[in-house]
Each structure stands twice: as structure tokens, then as C-alpha cells.
Amino acid sequence: MDRVRLEYKSVLGFVAEEEIRRQGEAVLLAHKRLHAKGGEALGWVDLPVRRDLQQLDEVIGAADQIRSHSQAFLVIGIGGSYLGARAGIQMLSHSFCEVHYSSGPAIYFAGHNASSTYMADLLDLLDDRDISINVISKSGTTTEPAIAFRILREYMERRYGKRMAKERIFVTTDGKKGALKKLADEEGYTSFVIPADVGGRYSVLTPVGLLPMAVAGLDVEEIIRGAADAHARLGSSDLAKNDCYRYAVLRYLLYQKGKAVELLVSYEPCLQYFAEWWKQLFGESEGKEGKGIFPASCLYTTDLHSLGQYVQEGRRILFETVIDIERPRREVQIPEDSADRDGLNYLAGKTMDYVNRQALLGTLLAHTDGGVPNLILKVPQLSPYHCGELFYFFQKACGLSGYLLGVNPFDQPGVEAYKKNMFALLGKPELAQRRQELQGRLEDLTP
Amino acid sequence: MDRVRLEYKSVLGFVAEEEIRRQGEAVLLAHKRLHAKGGEALGWVDLPVRRDLQQLDEVIGAADQIRSHSQAFLVIGIGGSYLGARAGIQMLSHSFCEVHYSSGPAIYFAGHNASSTYMADLLDLLDDRDISINVISKSGTTTEPAIAFRILREYMERRYGKRMAKERIFVTTDGKKGALKKLADEEGYTSFVIPADVGGRYSVLTPVGLLPMAVAGLDVEEIIRGAADAHARLGSSDLAKNDCYRYAVLRYLLYQKGKAVELLVSYEPCLQYFAEWWKQLFGESEGKEGKGIFPASCLYTTDLHSLGQYVQEGRRILFETVIDIERPRREVQIPEDSADRDGLNYLAGKTMDYVNRQALLGTLLAHTDGGVPNLILKVPQLSPYHCGELFYFFQKACGLSGYLLGVNPFDQPGVEAYKKNMFALLGKPELAQRRQELQGRLEDLTP
């Protein structure tokens, strides 16, 4: 079957079919909330079939332009304006795409941290290559990307001149308001719209994710097609027919039984940032009101030689969701060695992926036996189509999951707490009194 | 103070000084076990002052040779034969060292996974550069590195001829026995010894970690000097005078109070793999007998826009250990912009690191207020000296921590479970019956 699908038979030792079925009514209610016009979920649910929100033609046009005149492309964004694009690009590109150039520019990320070392090192790369920039921020005032853009805009204008720099700066921001929208209008930068009713972590299928992925040479039409098919397939309110709802229900039931940590596991290193995207999606949607599964990730077999011991025999607070890629992008055969000094000749002629697959299957059984339930998400291959499907699968699962847990999966009130402190400490004039309080507390903490 | 040190005052709202002091006796006992001649801890405790085990002169000589005749250096290893070197190299190198070459070779890792796509992509990089290889494996029969070495040895012999390939293959393995030792002796490869009494995850200060770090151009003498000074400083059995023991006690007490997950947090992206090294160290040492803190990691401020919501308001099962780098390797100033359309002019003339630091301080208070205890590890700067200090600090803390928890921190019995299944599924002749059983179970799982 050429689609993403969930296998959960090995979990039935931990959760009974009857328990799953009993969630059918709660799922129906949550489904209605997700699809309600004007509800909290809003724009992203139907995004894959809303051509107006994707702006695909404009995205592809801009990407062609960028690819034709750039050897490096800087994507400036943080959180939901960063992880989706990075996840898709890593999943579908050459493992060493920054070194092993294809026809398009190398992609670098900026504004996703406040490290001066990272920024200074990044600037080292720029002088001998032609650069384009995509700055992504709904408001334009998020500190990290705003600082990065200020530094890099200045760099671009110094290097190319103000007029030419404009041809190389692309903005993705709110359609109507905000500092970045205003700046883009005044300077005449090519702009893309983040739909007002699509939250950051649900925005990968808007120009937020699509433009960087298109610049990386990915077939964004196919990504959207995969998401649109998933939209149709996962549109049923019937738990028995909807794999992403079943995933949501199973993880909810496991959480009720004391599984506090979910590990997203993959056997392909190119899924490292997909796991990061997933961690934001679920962590930010569910981690509130003292609730929520803690989302973590592993890359196996690497981490079987690291966290594997803990997963097998540590505290039984874990379950795993394994992304099982059925066909690898490339194959390598294990050669024969007549001396067989490493004892591997029983594998000669087999492929590395065959070994990877037996590791996956063996681990599935070992961890299940060890008391760690394993959900399996079968993915036919890492293609743009299935990438789109995966994005949509997890987004919809996450929306439902949050509702089952009894939280609003579309807000993130806790993200403000550190920002408020940081702005005070940075000396924002209107927060002077808070600054004094915080500095007093900090002095008490440091000997 | 130019040394790594622990600050824990903000944790005193969660743990009382008296509770800490009460652990003094348990610490003393554990300390004695750590330092016992012939105990389980064995070789690594005194490694920083055992020149014979470091083989520093030979390591530096080989590194010079490799650097002189290679544009790419492949490090083949997994788990403890992989993470330490990668952690040190990433911590101390240019953020884009694979693209922005310094004088030495670009470093690539292999044999740390079984992905055929990764291996095929890696092979793409090799043809137009001169290559050297370091294969690291105590036994030589660990599946992933053995496969990678078989493929890459064949590549090297095909390309350079058998005789010349020998000059470019470096082996780090057991001093006396094992498949790789035998192969190295027969072929005449330059070899380094993994001391018999040093376990994988404690081996970064042997040639396992030192040779790749030296090839990357790091000052390994300084790394050892930092570790040796830490060895002296952290040699006291007195809890009040030993920061790494205090760290171990605090995390143990937090665990007793229901904190099931420790987040190692850093604000510098170059510590990503140091966190991975730390996760193996603690996860593999403590995750057994149904016990242990689950080790996870975050890179802030990136993840403040991702997992930050969960940390601030999700389930209160977390505590954080924050690595606070006091001086950045490089600085970048935030420029003035007369129009101030992004509203950042209150930061003009300040450095990015100043912002990063206020983010750290603001987050420390916000998370503590949110019920997440914060331990702070102050590190003067990311230098080779402090890198060595950090490695030793956490190793010794981990040994003590495991003893406090009541487990043997130096074994890893659970790592075998998946391997046993995998070998059976791969068709090892002697496991034929187990294979049949496992395949039957797998058929039941898959519709």
C-alpha cells in the first residue's frame, strides 16, 4: 500500500482493543471541534486543499529565481518558522548536501538561536558566494530572527547595494500587519503571506515551509499532493478508519497508563530534524496545565548504543513511535571478503538496508518484551509525497490528541514567561521595575 | 574563576541543604568504590594522569601524518567509540567546519548507523579527495562499524592499492584480542589501544576520542591537562568540596522527588553532540533495573520556541542542567538602524552574546518559577582545557550517581537484547531456532 499507515498490534499487550473503541465518542467530539468553522484549529485543517493559502505558483517562481542567482540561501526563522522547512529539506536531500552540491544553492539557517559564535561563523561563509535570504516571522519582532535579519540585511546592503539587495531578500510574514510586513512594503521585498489563522507549528505547508523547500530543489507540488491525499484519507471521524486518530488515541491511553515520555524513533539519520519538528508540534500543543507526554527522539541504530540500555531496562515510563521507512532512497551491498576476519560473510551480498530492517524488527520485539510499547508508522519511502503525508498525519493527530487530553492544542501561553523576563533584563524601558526585581533575584542566586 | 563549577542555589526551593548534607555518608561509600583498586570503575578514574593509557605522543604523531596527506578523515565507530570524539570536535571547531575548511581534513563519521542511504551518500564525497580512516571498535565485530569498515576498506584498497591503503588506515582497538586487533596485526595497520579496563562511554580520553580530535586540529594536550586538573579538583570525598559529587547528589534527590527527566540545556548549538555524549553516559550507566533518570537535551533559545512551552507548563517531571558558557568564542555586535522598524534599537551596540545571556538568565528564573529546578554548570569558555574538564566532570559525577541509585554504572546488560534478536533475524546459523520463533511473532504483528 503506497501510503503512510499505522501498525499497533504489538501495543495490544498494553492497551485492549475495547479501550480503544471506548474512545470513539470522544474522538467524534474532538473531530467536530477540529473541523468547526471558526474553531480554534482554523486554517491548517484544510490547508492542503486551499490553493489560495499555499501560494504555490509564486513560491515556485521565487524559488527558481533564487536558485538561478544564488550559491547560498539563508533561511531566517525560529520555532514554527524554522523546523518544518529544515525537516523537509533534510529528509529529502543528499545527506551531505552542504558539501556535495547539486544544482541549487546550499541552505543555511539563521535566527534560530542567539549564539554569536554561530552567527560569526556563518558570516565567514558568505563573502565568496552569491546569497539570497528568506526571513520568516509573523510579527517581525521575534528577537532572534529580528537580530539575525538586521545583521544580514546590513551585510546584503553593504555588499550588493540597497537596490540590488532587494532582489535577494524574500519575506514571509503576516498579510496585513506587523513590523516585517511594513518593512517589506516600504522596501519592496518580494513577500509571501503566513495565513492569519494558521499557527506557527502548523504552518509548514504554507510559504513558511514551502519556499525554503522549493529553493532546496524539492518538488513542493508533490508535497502538497501527499498532504491533500492525507487530508482526504484522514478526514473520517470514524476511529476505526482513521490512522492518525488511532495514533492519537493510543498515545493518550498509554499516557493514562503511566507512559510519560514518547520517543519518536527512526533508523534514518535524515529524519533528525523531522523529529525536532514533531517535538515542537506535540510538546507545544500538549505541554500545558501540568499535563502532556514529554516528546523525545532517538536515531537508531546509533542510539541503541546509547539510550538503548535505558529504553530496554530503565524506568518503564516510555513508549516508542517508530517511523519505518520501507524502501531506502539508496542501497549499498555488503561485499564478500574471502578471509572473513570480521565474521561478516554471512551478510555478504545482502544490503545494508536489510541489516537496518532486521535491527528495526529485532528491536521492536526486544523493547516490547522489555515493557516499552511500540507504535509503528509505515512509510513506503522518503519521497516528497510521503513527506507531505507525514506532516499532515502528525498535525491532525496532534490536534485531536490535545483535545483528548483536555487542553487547547493551538495556543502556547507558556512561551511568554521567559520572553517577559528576557525583555526586562535586556533593558526594555517599559519593564524597568521588573528588571530591578529580576536582577535582585539573580544576585541572590550567584555567589 | 577559571574552572567549571556548579551553581545550585535556585534548586534550594526544591531540595533543602540538609537533605544534601545527609547524603554525605552515601557519597563517601560510593567514592571509595569508585577509587577502589580492581573495582568496577577501573581504569577511567585515573586516566587523565595515566600517560601510558593516553598514548598522546603516538596519537599526535599519527594525527600530523593524517593531516598532511588527507582532505577527508572518516571516523568509524558507534556509541562510546563515536560520541566523545564527535562531541569534542563539534564543541571546539568552526560551526561549519565541513564547508569552511581550515588547514586540516574535513571529518566524517561512519559506522554509527546502518542506513544505506547515508553510506551511499558518504561514498559520493570520497572520490575527489584524499582519504584516511580511523576504525574504532574494541572487538571489531560490532555490526555497524564492521560493515562500514568492510565497505570502506574495500574502497581504499581499490583506490590506493593494498600497500598504499595501509598507510591510510588507523585502528583503535583492544590491545590483545579480538577480530580487529588480529586484522590490524596481519595487515600492519598503525594501531592504538583501548585500555582493557575502560568502558566505551568512559573512553573519550583514550585514543578512541583523542585521535579524531587531534586530526580535527584540537589541542589534545590541553584537553588532557583540563581533565587532569579536574581529576585533582574532583578527587575529594567531601561532598561540600566536590562539585561533581554535589551535582550527582542533587539530581538523585530531584529524582527521588519525582523528577523523572533531566534536560541538559545549552545556548550554544556546538554543544549538540556533547549532549548526545552525556545522554549515552548517563542513560547507559543508570537506566537499568527499572530505574534511572531519563536523559534528554535541549538547545536554547531554539527549543524555547519548541519544547519551551512544555518545560514551562507541562507535566512537572523535569529538571534542567544548564551549561552556561561565560565567554563566547566569537562576538557579533547588533548594528544601529536609524529607522528602527524592527524596534531593536534598544539593543544596538550590544552584542548577540549579551542577548543570549539575558535569555539564559530570564529562562532560569521563569522555569524555576514554573516548578522546574535548574542546576547551572558554569564553564568559563569553550576551550580544549574546559572541554577536558567537562568530560571528566560528568564521567565522575555519573559513576557516583549510579552508585547512589543502587545500580552498577559500568555495565550495560540491556544492550544485548536487540542484538540477539537482530543476529537471529539476520540468519546467523547458530540462532536458527530463535529466528523461526521471532519471525512467527513478527508475522502475527503485521496484518
Side-chain angles (χ1 to χ4, degrees):
Chain A
M1 273 174 295
D2 199 38
R3 60 174 177 82
V4 169
R5 58 207 189 275
L6 183 74
E7 282 182 8
Y8 64 100
K9 272 205 170 175
S10 74
V11 178
L12 295 177
F14 303 89
V15 175
E17 283 278 17
E18 178 52 28
E19 291 178 275
I20 302 171
R21 266 194 302 274
R22 270 204 298 268
Q23 294 296 321
E25 207 162 324
V27 166
L28 187 61
L29 286 171
H31 172 83
K32 283 183 182 159
R33 276 179 83 179
L34 278 182
H35 285 271
K37 294 250 176 290
E40 303 108 328
L42 300 163
W44 65 267
V45 175
D46 293 325
L47 193 54
V49 291
R50 292 276 307 273
R51 298 291 290 202
D52 56 320
L53 298 183
Q54 300 154 13
Q55 305 157 258
L56 258 192
D57 295 339
E58 297 87 337
V59 160
I60 292 169
D64 286 345
Q65 186 190 339
I66 292 164
R67 286 170 63 83
S68 73
H69 69 23
S70 313
Q71 284 93 47
F73 179 59
L74 307 181
V75 182
I76 302 175
I78 195 166
S81 298
Y82 156 63
L83 286 167
R86 187 156 195 177
I89 292 168
Q90 192 197 31
M91 180 192 292
L92 299 171
S93 304
H94 192 279
S95 307
F96 302 89
C97 57
E98 289 177 13
V99 191
H100 188 74
Y101 299 111
S102 59
S103 55
I107 316 260
Y108 298 103
F109 296 90
H112 60 304
N113 61 51
S115 164
S116 58
T117 302
Y118 180 91
M119 177 57 84
D121 286 351
L122 179 65
L123 290 168
D124 287 341
L125 302 185
L126 305 187
D127 284 349
D128 54 354
R129 305 199 245 179
D130 271 314
I131 311 293
S132 293
I133 286 181
N134 180 203
V135 55
I136 307 166
S137 173
K138 206 161 194 167
S139 68
T141 54
T142 304
T143 310
E144 296 88 336
I147 290 173
F149 185 46
R150 189 180 264 220
I151 291 166
L152 290 166
R153 199 174 80 231
E154 196 203 39
Y155 171 86
M156 295 293 279
E157 293 180 353
R158 203 167 57 232
R159 173 159 160 198
Y160 289 105
K162 214 166 153 52
R163 199 175 54 82
M164 292 293 287
K166 285 180 195 183
E167 307 294 311
R168 295 179 170 278
I169 295 176
F170 298 79
V171 168
T172 308
T173 188
D174 192 89
K176 290 186 181 150
K177 57 184 185 349
L180 189 54
K181 168 66 181 158
K182 193 158 171 283
L183 178 66
D185 285 350
E186 287 172 15
E187 298 287 343
Y189 299 143
T190 302
S191 296
F192 295 90
V193 175
I194 309 178
D197 57 353
V198 175
R201 61 189 176 275
Y202 295 90
S203 71
V204 63
L205 299 174
T206 74
V208 168
L210 295 172
L211 179 58
M213 292 195 288
V215 174
L218 309 189
D219 185 341
V220 288
E221 297 264 13
E222 270 294 287
I223 292 174
I224 291 291
R225 195 172 70 84
D229 284 359
H231 172 269
R233 221 176 269 135
L234 304 173
S236 169
S237 62
D238 181 352
L239 179 54
K241 294 180 186 156
N242 191 322
D243 272 8
C244 84
Y245 287 178
R246 197 142 44 191
Y247 168 63
V249 163
L250 284 163
R251 60 195 297 285
Y252 173 68
L253 293 171
L254 291 168
Y255 176 71
Q256 300 290 359
K257 290 170 193 282
K259 303 303 183 189
V261 177
E262 177 175 8
L263 279 176
L264 191 74
V265 168
S266 149
Y267 286 70
E268 291 294 341
C270 66
L271 291 178
Q272 182 176 8
Y273 278 94
F274 185 78
E276 294 301 317
W277 172 83
W278 172 91
K279 279 151 82 168
Q280 180 191 8
L281 181 65
F282 279 89
E284 207 166 67
S285 298
E286 299 195 322
K288 47 197 76 162
E289 301 174 29
K291 303 190 219 180
I293 297 169
F294 180 78
S297 63
C298 277
L299 287 176
Y300 291 163
T301 61
T302 297
D303 289 333
L304 289 172
H305 296 251
S306 161
L307 284 175
Q309 167 65 38
Y310 190 102
V311 178
Q312 190 69 50
E313 298 188 342
R315 274 187 80 181
R316 305 297 72 192
I317 55 172
L318 308 176
F319 70 96
E320 291 174 293
T321 297
V322 181
I323 300 186
D324 175 5
I325 311 300
E326 299 179 279
R327 284 193 306 281
R329 184 160 58 74
R330 300 181 71 178
E331 263 300 7
V332 174
Q333 216 177 43
I334 299 167
E336 177 86 31
D337 174 2
S338 56
D340 196 26
R341 285 171 296 197
D342 53 11
L344 286 182
N345 266 359
Y346 75 107
L347 297 175
K350 298 248 167 54
T351 64
M352 274 187 75
D353 192 64
Y354 173 76
V355 176
N356 213 11
R357 170 149 300 281
Q358 306 320 306
L360 183 152
L361 296 171
T363 303
L364 162 64
L365 296 175
H367 287 182
T368 303
D369 291 345
V372 177
N374 267 244
L375 295 161
I376 316 287
L377 203 63
K378 298 283 225 183
V379 179
Q381 59 180 316
L382 291 177
S383 65
Y385 179 88
H386 296 301
C387 173
E389 222 188 331
L390 280 170
F391 280 137
Y392 193 79
F393 181 99
F394 280 117
Q395 284 180 347
K396 194 149 191 210
C398 185
L400 193 98
S401 202
Y403 282 145
L404 291 179
L405 191 65
V407 300
N408 177 356
F410 306 111
D411 66 0
Q412 54 283 332
V415 176
E416 298 310 309
Y418 97 90
K419 286 189 194 172
K420 214 170 144 184
N421 286 353
M422 178 180 74
F423 289 135
L425 291 169
L426 284 172
K428 269 206 168 178
E430 63 272 27
L431 298 169
Q433 200 194 328
R434 189 182 180 89
R435 183 186 201 188
Q436 218 171 2
E437 285 165 28
L438 295 177
Q439 284 181 331
R441 286 182 62 194
L442 287 166
E443 272 162 33
D444 288 345
L445 292 180
T446 312
Chain B
M1 272 174 295
D2 201 39
R3 61 174 177 83
V4 170
R5 58 208 190 276
L6 182 76
E7 282 182 9
Y8 65 100
K9 272 207 172 173
S10 73
V11 178
L12 295 178
F14 302 88
V15 174
E17 282 278 16
E18 178 52 30
E19 292 178 274
I20 302 170
R21 268 194 301 274
R22 269 203 299 268
Q23 295 296 321
E25 207 161 323
V27 166
L28 189 60
L29 286 171
H31 172 84
K32 283 184 183 158
R33 278 179 81 179
L34 278 181
H35 285 269
K37 294 252 177 288
E40 303 108 328
L42 302 162
W44 65 268
V45 175
D46 294 325
L47 193 55
V49 291
R50 291 277 306 273
R51 298 291 290 204
D52 57 321
L53 298 184
Q54 300 154 13
Q55 305 157 257
L56 258 192
D57 295 339
E58 296 88 335
V59 160
I60 292 170
D64 287 345
Q65 186 192 339
I66 292 164
R67 287 170 63 83
S68 73
H69 70 23
S70 314
Q71 285 94 47
F73 179 61
L74 307 182
V75 182
I76 301 174
I78 196 166
S81 296
Y82 156 63
L83 286 166
R86 187 156 196 176
I89 291 169
Q90 191 197 32
M91 181 191 291
L92 300 170
S93 302
H94 193 278
S95 308
F96 302 90
C97 57
E98 289 178 11
V99 191
H100 189 74
Y101 299 111
S102 60
S103 54
I107 317 261
Y108 298 103
F109 296 89
H112 61 303
N113 61 51
S115 164
S116 59
T117 303
Y118 180 91
M119 177 58 83
D121 286 351
L122 180 64
L123 290 168
D124 286 342
L125 303 184
L126 305 186
D127 284 348
D128 53 354
R129 306 198 244 180
D130 271 314
I131 311 292
S132 293
I133 286 180
N134 180 204
V135 55
I136 307 166
S137 173
K138 206 161 193 167
S139 67
T141 54
T142 303
T143 310
E144 295 89 336
I147 290 174
F149 185 46
R150 189 180 266 220
I151 291 167
L152 290 165
R153 198 175 80 232
E154 197 203 40
Y155 171 86
M156 296 293 280
E157 293 181 353
R158 203 168 56 231
R159 173 160 162 196
Y160 289 106
K162 217 167 150 51
R163 198 176 55 84
M164 291 293 287
K166 285 181 195 184
E167 306 295 311
R168 296 179 170 277
I169 294 175
F170 298 79
V171 169
T172 308
T173 189
D174 193 88
K176 290 185 182 152
K177 58 186 187 346
L180 189 55
K181 168 69 180 156
K182 195 157 170 283
L183 178 67
D185 285 351
E186 287 173 14
E187 298 286 342
Y189 299 142
T190 301
S191 296
F192 296 90
V193 175
I194 309 178
D197 58 352
V198 175
R201 59 189 177 275
Y202 296 89
S203 70
V204 62
L205 300 173
T206 73
V208 169
L210 295 172
L211 179 57
M213 292 195 288
V215 174
L218 309 189
D219 185 342
V220 288
E221 297 265 13
E222 270 294 287
I223 292 173
I224 291 291
R225 195 172 70 83
D229 284 359
H231 172 269
R233 220 176 270 136
L234 305 173
S236 169
S237 63
D238 181 352
L239 180 54
K241 291 179 187 157
N242 191 323
D243 272 7
C244 83
Y245 287 178
R246 196 140 45 188
Y247 168 63
V249 163
L250 283 162
R251 60 194 297 285
Y252 172 69
L253 293 172
L254 291 168
Y255 176 71
Q256 300 290 1
K257 291 171 192 280
K259 303 302 183 190
V261 177
E262 176 174 9
L263 279 176
L264 192 74
V265 167
S266 148
Y267 286 72
E268 292 294 342
C270 66
L271 291 178
Q272 182 176 7
Y273 279 94
F274 185 79
E276 294 301 317
W277 172 83
W278 171 90
K279 279 152 81 170
Q280 181 191 7
L281 181 64
F282 279 89
E284 207 166 68
S285 297
E286 299 195 322
K288 47 198 75 158
E289 300 175 29
K291 304 190 219 180
I293 297 169
F294 180 78
S297 62
C298 278
L299 287 177
Y300 291 164
T301 60
T302 298
D303 289 334
L304 289 172
H305 296 252
S306 161
L307 284 175
Q309 167 66 38
Y310 190 102
V311 178
Q312 190 68 48
E313 298 189 341
R315 273 187 81 180
R316 305 298 71 192
I317 55 173
L318 308 176
F319 70 97
E320 291 174 293
T321 297
V322 181
I323 300 186
D324 176 5
I325 310 301
E326 299 181 280
R327 284 193 307 281
R329 183 160 59 73
R330 300 181 72 179
E331 264 299 8
V332 174
Q333 217 178 40
I334 299 167
E336 177 86 30
D337 174 5
S338 56
D340 197 27
R341 286 171 296 197
D342 54 11
L344 286 182
N345 266 0
Y346 76 107
L347 296 174
K350 300 248 166 55
T351 64
M352 274 186 75
D353 193 64
Y354 172 76
V355 176
N356 213 11
R357 169 148 301 281
Q358 306 320 306
L360 182 152
L361 295 171
T363 303
L364 162 65
L365 296 175
H367 288 182
T368 303
D369 291 345
V372 177
N374 267 244
L375 295 162
I376 316 286
L377 203 63
K378 297 284 224 183
V379 179
Q381 59 181 316
L382 290 178
S383 65
Y385 178 88
H386 295 301
C387 173
E389 221 187 333
L390 280 170
F391 280 137
Y392 193 80
F393 180 98
F394 280 118
Q395 284 181 346
K396 192 145 193 216
C398 184
L400 193 97
S401 203
Y403 283 144
L404 291 179
L405 190 65
V407 299
N408 177 357
F410 306 110
D411 66 1
Q412 56 282 333
V415 177
E416 298 310 310
Y418 97 88
K419 286 189 194 172
K420 214 169 144 186
N421 286 354
M422 179 181 73
F423 288 135
L425 291 169
L426 284 173
K428 271 207 167 177
E430 63 272 28
L431 298 170
Q433 200 195 328
R434 189 180 180 90
R435 185 186 199 189
Q436 220 172 1
E437 285 164 28
L438 295 177
Q439 283 181 331
R441 286 182 61 195
L442 287 168
E443 271 161 34
D444 289 344
L445 292 180
T446 311

